[in-house]
Amino acid sequence: MRYVSTRGGAAPVSLSAAIATGLAPDGGLYVPETMPRVGTLPAGGYLASTAAAMLEPFFAGDPLASELEAICAEAFAHPAPRRELRIAGAHVLELFHGPTAAFKDFGARFLAACISRLRAGDPDPLTILVATSGDTGAAVGAAFHGLPGVRVAILYPDNRVSPRQAHQLGSFGGNVRALRVEGSFDDCQRLVKGAFGDPALQADVPLSSANSISLGRLLPQMAYFGHAALNAENPPMNVIVPTGNLGNAVACLWAREIGLPIGEVVFACNANDTLPEFFGGQPYRARDAVATIANAMDVGAPSNFERLRHLFGSDEAARLNGSAHAVDDATIRDVIRRHAASDGELFCPHTATAIRVFEQRRLAGDTRAWTMAATAHPAKFDTVVEPLIGREVEVPEALAAMLARDATAEPLAADHRVFAEWLRGWHSD
Ligand SMILES: *Cc1c(COP(=O)(O)O)cnc(C)c1O
């Protein structure tokens, strides 16, 4: 399998090359040259085995192909249970049982497993840049922490992530450093894009990305949707995905595209309504993000939109194949409060957007079964959740261990030249 740019202006490359470089040289995102189809896969079995079977055609012919099973074993070492709620026909797919308690652990660990194999024996350290609105940075930091030959620079918007998220991001040390940027998440993304668009900097400092544009994160995210769908009682499984940069949702659509029994896919957004507006029939219009309590979805210019458009070929076709709904902060709070009181379910603010979209479907007379992706553990967002429910949320063990460590982050102006100098400085350390 070879990979081409969504913008069509770059030569096809191998999977290894696409994973190593992140963004295509024409500024587009790598996608498979043709979408493979997988044959019938067995239900049951381990998530890691389903993952390896689903991803095999994507690895065909690549040097990493012989390592695929080992890579999946490392990335899918924690479970993704699908659990029924006390509402008929409603399930959650819990994606938050990894080291940093958000779904991004799967993609980050998969990417780390790939990159550490690709870099084996290379003397020049690779610096991985990751812009984060909260959860990505922690997942990538945890996945790469202590790996030889790789460094991670995490950029996050100062004062726009939860205190626990900020603590996690600064807790690594060693080969993982956190930069708190004076600006929004979009400013962080611009700094990362700016670094990749600076050939002189790249000549001095070998760079790679770990954002959700990275194929090494997107591909594994197909696996838990596929695994859940294969094991659902009445396939095809309809899914509601809390959405920001469209990484998780595009992975779900790709899983459906290669033949997994996935039905309708609905995107739940926070007050950042770029996608709801687009699916409502307006032309796509990227804009600055607004801050919400579902901060990992505070995205005004979803970076994987290019992959969505590429998958369906046109805006019209995309609109026929998906839908998106905005959920404001007051409604998110209402969902969290109401469920804690009525059925004892605790949702993180992101997951709550999907629960709300499901409830709207029910109110509109839709009686089908739906599975909502539960993207983070509520304990990660204690400052939002605890005042609403009037008690403490129990912290999962891995998260507690990370919170017990010291944390530091360096301030950074949202300025390309300042960032470039910082990177050169670290590289020559
Ligand atoms: C990143 C994140 C999202 C959004 O996922 P995308 O792939 O960016 O659409 C949703 N919820 C949580 C908890 C996240 O960390």
Side-chain angles (χ1 to χ4, degrees), residues 102-104 133 135-136 212 217 221 242-249 296-297 299 304 348 350-351 375-376 381:
F103 79 87
K104 294 188 176 81
S133 53
D135 290 338
T136 298
S212 62
R217 284 186 49 200
Q221 292 175 172
T243 295
N245 260 321
L246 268 171
N248 214 15
M297 297 165 24
V299 179
N304 282 292
C348 89
H350 314 81
T351 306
T375 49
F381 301 92

Side-chain angles (χ1 to χ4, degrees), residues 176-190:
V176 179
R177 284 166 77 171
L179 298 165
R180 49 187 175 85
V181 173
E182 296 157 21
S184 69
F185 172 61
D186 291 320
D187 291 318
C188 297
Q189 293 215 107
R190 266 191 283 278

Side-chain angles (χ1 to χ4, degrees), residues 27-413:
L29 277 55
Y30 282 117
V31 293
E33 194 164 36
T34 53
M35 260 308 166
R37 301 280 303 177
V38 292
T40 315
L41 297 177
Y46 290 108
L47 175 57
S49 316
T50 307
M54 283 176 66
L55 295 177
E56 195 191 270
F58 293 89
F59 277 65
D62 194 82
L64 284 175
S66 60
E67 295 286 317
L68 177 58
E69 276 185 30
I71 291 167
C72 288
E74 287 172 34
F76 296 95
H78 56 278
R82 179 172 170 274
R83 183 172 67 79
E84 193 168 15
L85 297 177
R86 271 192 248 163
I87 310 167
H91 286 77
V92 282
L93 178 58
E94 293 185 348
L95 303 176
F96 51 68
H97 295 284
T100 71
F103 79 87
K104 294 188 176 81
D105 282 324
F106 287 110
R109 291 168 64 86
F110 191 90
L111 180 69
C114 290
I115 288 189
S116 60
R117 285 166 172 82
L118 292 173
R119 297 295 294 184
D122 203 318
D124 206 13
L126 178 73
T127 302
I128 296 191
L129 304 182
V130 51
T132 183
S133 53
D135 290 338
T136 298
V140 171
F144 283 92
H145 191 215
L147 283 187
V150 198
R151 297 167 161 186
V152 177
I154 301 170
L155 291 81
Y156 71 90
D158 201 9
N159 294 319
R160 296 223 195 162
V161 305
S162 80
R164 273 190 187 163
Q165 282 178 316
H167 191 101
Q168 271 190 316
L169 294 171
S171 74
F172 299 105
N175 67 331
V176 179
R177 284 166 77 171
L179 298 165
R180 49 187 175 85
V181 173
E182 296 157 21
S184 69
F185 172 61
D186 291 320
D187 291 318
C188 297
Q189 293 215 107
R190 266 191 283 278
L191 282 174
V192 169
K193 281 199 174 163
F196 284 109
D198 180 343
L201 173 63
Q202 292 214 61
D204 294 343
V205 184
L207 295 176
S208 185
S209 121
N211 282 350
S212 62
I213 55 169
S214 168
L215 206 53
R217 284 186 49 200
L218 200 79
L219 290 174
Q221 292 175 172
M222 298 162 59
Y224 41 74
F225 290 114
H227 188 72
L230 287 169
N231 293 289
E233 41 302 310
N234 289 309
M237 179 180 85
N238 302 309
V239 192
I240 306 176
V241 188
T243 295
N245 260 321
L246 268 171
N248 214 15
V250 164
C252 185
L253 291 169
W254 282 12
R256 180 175 77 183
E257 194 67 19
I258 67 170
L260 275 298
I262 293 168
E264 200 177 327
V265 179
V266 175
F267 313 138
C269 301
N270 60 22
N272 289 281
D273 61 354
T274 303
L275 292 172
E277 188 182 275
F278 168 79
F279 282 99
Q282 308 283 320
Y284 176 77
R285 187 173 63 86
R287 67 204 70 170
D288 285 341
V290 298
T292 77
I293 57 171
N295 62 28
M297 297 165 24
D298 288 352
V299 179
S303 49
N304 282 292
F305 185 76
E306 286 197 36
R307 285 195 171 111
L308 183 85
R309 200 176 237 162
H310 187 270
L311 176 65
F312 295 118
S314 75
D315 287 1
E316 271 323 299
R319 289 191 187 102
L320 291 175
N321 275 283
S323 61
H325 304 278
V327 180
D328 64 22
D329 278 359
T331 310
I332 291 172
R333 288 197 175 91
D334 171 67
V335 169
I336 294 171
R337 197 186 291 121
R338 201 158 30 79
H339 279 277
S342 67
D343 54 16
E345 290 288 349
L346 295 186
F347 299 117
C348 89
H350 314 81
T351 306
T353 65
I355 300 294
R356 172 60 181 172
V357 170
F358 165 76
E359 290 173 346
Q360 282 174 320
R361 291 274 162 140
R362 277 287 181 271
L363 287 172
D366 178 339
T367 57
R368 291 173 299 161
W370 286 91
T371 296
M372 281 64 78
T375 49
H377 192 286
K380 247 188 139 160
F381 301 92
D382 56 318
T383 53
V384 174
V385 174
E386 289 181 353
L388 295 170
I389 65 170
R391 60 185 164 88
E392 283 186 17
V393 184
E394 206 180 314
V395 180
E397 213 174 298
L399 186 57
M402 210 168 275
L403 294 173
R405 299 209 292 256
D406 286 343
T408 47
E410 301 159 57
L412 183 78

